[in-house]
Amino acid sequence: MINEVIERNGSIKNLVQNRLGAEHAKMFTPDAMYLTYYTPILSGEKDITAYFTEHEKPGTLKIEQISIQTSGVIVTKKAIVEFGFYNVDWRDGTNHGNVKGKSINVWKRNEKGTLMLFRQMVNHD
């Protein structure tokens, strides 16, 4: 199962790097919750889609490098809990920087058996 989580994170990495926020939002269950470090809890498909569509929109900001690492996984009967780390190098014109952080992700299978994000909590270092 850890390989499946790593594969799903690879998809997220590609979506973020290619600024496909609306597609990224489709990786969440309709009743998901996304807990960021700077907004109130985003709850449900509508809120999560609006957030990612804006946060990862195409434009001048470029993701030069992104890594998503899984440090541990707990498998339960109904979900998979993942402890992760991320590292992003970005550039917007002459501005650039690096963001590192941690996440706790709760994955559940949809009716087709695909792992989907049910809860995600992120925080920058």
Side-chain angles (χ1 to χ4, degrees):
M1 291 208 194
I2 191 167
N3 288 337
E4 194 174 1
V5 169
I6 291 168
E7 180 182 311
R8 297 297 280 165
N9 283 331
S11 295
I12 291 171
K13 176 183 167 181
N14 289 331
L15 294 169
V16 171
Q17 196 150 31
N18 290 303
R19 314 304 290 154
L20 299 171
E23 291 300 311
H24 184 174
K26 292 178 183 176
M27 299 203 53
F28 288 80
T29 63
D31 59 344
M33 293 178 132
Y34 181 64
L35 291 78
T36 72
Y37 45 90
Y38 67 98
T39 68
I41 295 171
L42 302 169
S43 184
E45 191 171 12
K46 182 180 175 185
D47 287 351
I48 291 170
T49 298
Y51 171 81
F52 279 103
T53 300
E54 175 61 27
H55 185 69
E56 296 173 6
K57 66 184 175 194
T60 58
L61 184 110
K62 303 293 181 214
I63 303 299
E64 295 185 322
Q65 176 279 135
I66 180 172
S67 69
I68 301 173
Q69 301 292 320
T70 300
S71 67
V73 170
I74 299 170
V75 179
T76 71
K77 289 182 182 181
K78 295 186 177 185
I80 297 172
V81 180
E82 173 195 14
F83 303 94
F85 295 87
Y86 57 90
N87 185 340
V88 180
D89 291 331
W90 60 269
R91 177 171 302 280
D92 192 354
T94 59
N95 296 319
H96 59 90
N98 174 269
V99 178
K100 295 177 184 173
K102 300 169 202 58
S103 66
I104 298 174
N105 308 305
V106 179
W107 297 87
K108 285 189 171 183
R109 295 196 183 279
N110 66 11
E111 61 283 344
K112 296 177 184 176
T114 305
L115 276 183
M116 306 293 287
L117 283 163
F118 176 63
R119 299 288 186 264
Q120 185 173 47
M121 297 146 275
V122 297
N123 200 355
H124 287 347
D125 286 349

